[in-house]
Amino acid sequence: MQRQATIERKTKETEIRATIDLDVPVRYDIKTGVGFLDHMLEQLARHSLIDITLAAKGDLHIDYHHTTRMPYRTGPSRGQGAGRQAGHRALCQRAPAHGRVLTRVAVDVSGRPYLVWKVAFSRPKLGEMDTELFHEWFQAFAQNAGITLHIETLYGDNNHHIAETCYKGLARALRQAIAFDPGQAGRVPSTKGTL
């Protein structure tokens, strides 16, 4: 089974082309024009072992909102691709730490999109990126991937590391969610028989 997807979208505000591949060695290439977002998506690719190729052009002269906000831009590409290619549905939880920051991420790739976001930043920006846009990105990812996603930073005060642990936690949770479970023998892991 090929677990690869390419998504393209062009609007007056953004233009995007994204490809993800769940089964090739990771060789990500991410260019959004938003340096910190590129860094976070590279973390996502590297730690999930999902190959991501993403080229996005947006109206950055206005602000980073349209490029970063994912429901109709890069988020659907990441989310829809991951949701389409998961191959099965699973529940997993990881607790990534970075320095003095601990974030817990749980993913249920069930087709029921929802985000629980318990993450606080003490600054309005990281570099040139508005920290409120991280919530937007994860919300759109959950919606477009059809996953239930819980993200909670338990403690920490370094804003860069807080953002990084959110992406790394999602990456590790996704890595487990897309792995085939030989114990299921091809069955959907639900007593309903479908998700």
Side-chain angles (χ1 to χ4, degrees):
M1 173 174 60
Q2 182 182 9
R3 300 192 304 163
Q4 187 264 349
T6 298
I7 294 136
E8 295 183 63
R9 181 172 172 85
K10 185 174 182 176
T11 69
K12 291 180 180 180
E13 298 164 339
T14 56
E15 181 177 342
I16 181 169
R17 178 178 168 81
T19 300
I20 68 165
D21 196 321
L22 305 185
D23 299 311
V24 300
V26 177
R27 50 182 197 277
Y28 51 83
D29 182 15
I30 298 166
K31 294 177 181 72
T32 66
V34 181
F36 196 81
L37 180 60
D38 289 354
H39 179 54
M40 292 299 102
L41 294 176
E42 288 167 359
Q43 295 290 329
L44 179 64
R46 178 70 177 104
H47 293 281
S48 67
L49 301 181
I50 297 173
D51 183 58
I52 300 172
T53 302
L54 170 63
K57 296 178 185 175
D59 53 3
L60 300 180
H61 62 285
I62 295 172
D63 67 10
Y64 291 175
H65 182 81
H66 294 141
T67 300
T68 303
R69 189 173 182 271
M70 300 303 166
Y72 304 106
R73 294 152 189 100
T74 52
S77 305
R78 297 279 62 75
Q80 288 172 4
R84 284 185 204 160
Q85 302 309 320
H88 74 286
R89 308 295 185 183
L91 175 68
C92 55
Q93 182 171 325
R94 299 301 298 259
H98 194 304
R100 296 183 309 262
V101 176
L102 178 64
T103 298
R104 176 174 42 213
V105 178
V107 175
D108 183 9
V109 186
S110 63
R112 293 181 295 273
Y114 192 76
L115 173 67
V116 174
W117 178 256
K118 294 185 178 181
V119 180
F121 293 96
S122 63
R123 294 189 343 221
K125 287 187 177 282
L126 281 172
E128 295 297 317
M129 185 165 173
D130 296 325
T131 52
E132 69 182 10
L133 294 176
F134 291 115
H135 176 264
E136 297 288 333
W137 190 93
F138 284 98
Q139 175 68 44
F141 188 94
Q143 287 293 323
N144 286 282
I147 64 175
T148 301
L149 175 59
H150 295 256
I151 302 177
E152 178 180 18
T153 297
L154 303 175
Y155 53 82
D157 56 9
N158 182 302
N159 290 281
H160 180 113
H161 292 167
I162 289 170
E164 199 164 48
T165 59
C166 293
Y167 282 89
K168 284 182 178 178
L170 174 61
R172 291 176 180 156
L174 285 173
R175 186 74 222 144
Q176 286 186 342
I178 65 173
F180 288 109
D181 182 351
Q184 289 292 345
R187 295 177 300 219
V188 174
S190 169
T191 56
K192 293 188 288 283
T194 187
L195 290 174

